[in-house]
Amino acid sequence: MRFGSRACALLVPISLAAAIAPACGQSLLESGPPPLRPQNHSGAVPVPHSALSLSAYYTQGDNHPVAGGVIWRVFEENTQSNGSRKMIAEANNALPSLSLPNGTYMVHATYGLAGATKKIVLSGLPLNEKVVLNAGALRIVGMLGETPIAPAKLRISIYVPERGNSEAKLVLADGKADEIIGLPEGNYHVVSTLLDTVSGGAVSATNSVINADLKVQAGKITDTTLRHSAAQITLKLVNNPGGEALANTSFTILTPGGDVIREMIGAFPSLVLAAGEYIAIARHDNKTYQATFKVTSTMDRDVEVLAR
């Protein structure tokens, strides 16, 4: 069962080239063409090479290339027996310079989830090749009340929707908040799930889930704020109000409709719940007790179940 909350998006009409820092990583190939070597003892002539410089652009009309986050792969033009193409070069800096034997190749640029492929021909002369990605980006910020949520506390899923099915195709299962996510231009459905650290340090999804439908435009960052509404609740089974919590108690948290949210064991287990009404069922010494309670966003509190 999902508990929704507010979500808002702001389209920032700025060049992504100025918004994204250059990628860390260097080209896996040395820049520039190597000098021709003399014939070896067998008399074989070295294969002629050409210098290839690559740059990627978000849109056809951009004046500045993408400054970072691009992965380049160069493949042979002809396919192998299994239908794939052999990769002969790879680079993960934004503006690589490669030296390749003359011939025809397929160059593929990847930026986040966006990508584009272009056929090139090297014939001995230096070649500067531009690839248009037709891509934009999405940056998500999570809020709990007026407080930013740490990115590690959120799980972001991105879908390509279809008519009648907002989650038709999952394209990103574990996106990170506050990061710039490259995407092809188009419509997307975003799901943000608030996470909770449970016993033993494990991380569990809460029932605080926010949904938003967004449009990513080529050459622009879509800034989106997703506002969760939740609080941390500590459960206790007590003989009297304010009394000591009874150990070896198992708890089940239900919605008013009877849906199970979480089952926990301990004297005073804690969990994060979306704002709303709940039923707590406590079991101790083969006896069952219950209490109803309400969760108000950002108001962490103890919930006592009386053993009566």
Side-chain angles (χ1 to χ4, degrees):
M1 175 178 179
R2 291 185 176 177
F3 288 68
S5 186
R6 296 177 296 164
C8 58
L10 174 63
L11 191 65
V12 183
I14 60 173
S15 169
L16 286 175
I20 302 176
C24 293
Q26 299 294 326
S27 169
L28 301 184
L29 300 177
E30 295 294 332
S31 299
L36 292 178
R37 297 177 180 177
Q39 295 183 359
N40 56 28
H41 296 294
S42 64
V45 178
V47 177
H49 280 58
S50 297
L52 172 64
S53 299
L54 298 170
S55 56
Y57 292 77
Y58 297 104
T59 67
Q60 187 67 47
D62 275 356
N63 295 321
H64 301 285
V66 180
V70 183
I71 298 175
W72 296 92
R73 295 180 176 90
V74 181
F75 299 88
E76 292 182 346
E77 179 192 21
N78 297 326
T79 58
Q80 302 179 93
S81 58
N82 61 1
S84 65
R85 288 186 170 91
K86 181 180 178 181
M87 186 176 71
I88 63 169
E90 183 176 22
N92 58 6
N93 58 326
L95 302 170
S97 295
L98 311 176
S99 176
L100 299 173
N102 293 340
T104 303
Y105 301 95
M106 305 299 293
V107 173
H108 182 75
T110 301
Y111 172 70
L113 299 178
T117 302
K118 191 172 186 179
K119 181 179 178 179
I120 64 165
V121 178
L122 298 179
S123 57
L125 298 176
L127 180 64
N128 294 313
E129 197 63 49
K130 299 178 180 180
V131 175
V132 178
L133 297 167
N134 193 34
L138 179 63
R139 181 167 51 201
I140 297 170
V141 175
M143 301 287 289
L144 181 58
E146 298 303 318
T147 303
I149 301 173
K153 288 277 190 177
L154 291 178
R155 183 175 65 203
I156 306 296
S157 300
I158 300 178
Y159 298 84
V160 174
E162 293 179 358
R163 180 174 296 180
N165 184 4
S166 61
E167 298 180 4
K169 181 181 179 181
L170 178 66
V171 294
L172 183 62
D174 194 16
K176 304 300 181 185
D178 292 347
E179 290 186 358
I180 293 177
I181 303 170
L183 290 165
E185 184 175 47
N187 296 316
Y188 296 92
H189 181 76
V190 178
V191 178
S192 173
T193 302
L194 185 62
L195 302 177
D196 184 19
T197 302
V198 297
S199 60
V203 176
S204 177
T206 73
N207 68 325
S208 181
V209 180
I210 310 302
N211 298 270
D213 293 312
L214 307 169
K215 181 177 178 61
V216 173
Q217 295 185 18
K220 294 181 172 63
I221 298 175
T222 299
D223 273 320
T224 303
T225 300
L226 300 178
R227 297 186 179 275
H228 284 262
S229 182
Q232 182 165 313
I233 301 300
T234 299
L235 301 167
K236 297 179 180 180
L237 177 65
V238 296
N239 288 317
N240 298 291
E244 184 178 353
L246 301 178
N248 301 319
T249 302
S250 62
F251 293 91
T252 301
I253 307 302
L254 307 172
T255 67
D259 295 325
V260 176
I261 300 298
R262 185 85 64 83
E263 294 182 334
M264 312 179 77
I265 298 176
F268 36 85
S270 295
L271 75 163
V272 174
L273 290 170
E277 295 184 352
Y278 298 91
I279 300 170
I281 297 177
R283 297 176 179 85
H284 180 77
D285 285 343
N286 296 320
K287 295 180 181 180
T288 300
Y289 313 93
Q290 75 174 51
T292 60
F293 64 96
K294 184 177 182 179
V295 176
T296 301
S297 183
T298 72
M299 301 295 290
D300 300 344
R301 71 185 185 95
D302 295 347
V303 170
E304 293 183 342
V305 180
L306 294 178
R308 295 178 182 174

